[in-house]
């Protein structure tokens, strides 16, 4: 699963962006339609919610050929600014199938909670 996907590809409502810019993860998993139905139209849904969906590999601009370049970049950026991964991982509904976690490990989850898919 891609943990930061556009609404058009979303199947899971992963979390909400708090006023502090952190992700409040939704568990257990809810379908993306729950978020999309309450999203309104005043701002892009991806700026207020985190949505997950199937990783589309070669049709995504972040795909490097063998892994997700966005997950790699998110982890590297967080390490530079904030340091090592936290010991307590967030309660997340997609960890078993998350591509960022599979490729980057626990550090992905620490960085993930700071990601806003559409941060315009
Ligand atoms: S990186 Fe971690 S917290 Fe984020 S969606 Fe994947 S498993 Fe969940």
């Amino acid at each position: 699963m891609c943990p930061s996907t556009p609404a058009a590809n979303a199947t899971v409502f992963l979390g909400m962006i708090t006023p502090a810019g952190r992700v409040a993860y939704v568990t257990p998993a809810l379908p993306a339609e729950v978020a999309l139905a309450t999203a309104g139209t005043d701002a892009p849904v991806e700026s207020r919610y985190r949505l997950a969906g199937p990783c589309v590999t070669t049709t995504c601009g972040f795909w490097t050929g063998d892994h997700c370049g966005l997950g790699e970049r998110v982890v590297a950026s967080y390490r530079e600014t904030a340091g090592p991964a936290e010991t307590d991982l967030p309660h997340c509904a997609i960890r078993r199938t998350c591509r960022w976690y599979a490729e980057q490990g626990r550090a992905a989850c620490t960085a993930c909670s700071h990601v806003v898919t559409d941060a315009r």
Side-chain angles (χ1 to χ4, degrees):
M1 293 284 282
C2 167
S4 183
T5 200
N9 184 55
T11 56
V12 173
F13 179 12
L14 186 65
M16 291 170 281
I17 309 300
T18 69
R22 298 288 299 271
V23 180
Y25 293 90
V26 173
T27 54
L30 288 177
E33 288 74 17
V34 173
L36 301 177
T38 60
T41 56
D42 51 333
V45 63
E46 297 91 346
S47 69
R48 288 173 291 139
Y49 297 110
R50 281 279 302 280
L51 303 164
C55 173
V56 297
T57 62
T58 56
T59 59
C60 176
F62 293 112
W63 186 246
T64 66
D66 62 5
H67 68 276
C68 175
L70 180 60
E72 181 178 52
R73 192 185 310 172
V74 162
V75 168
S77 171
Y78 186 83
R79 273 203 189 107
E80 280 176 20
T81 59
E86 294 169 7
T87 51
D88 292 333
L89 300 186
H91 294 286
C92 165
I94 68 161
R95 186 158 292 121
R96 284 188 304 112
T97 56
C98 175
R99 179 171 290 285
W100 290 3
Y101 182 74
E103 294 177 352
Q104 305 294 330
R106 299 171 67 90
C109 302
T110 303
C112 175
S113 63
H114 296 265
V115 171
V116 179
T117 302
D118 184 342
R120 278 183 278 183

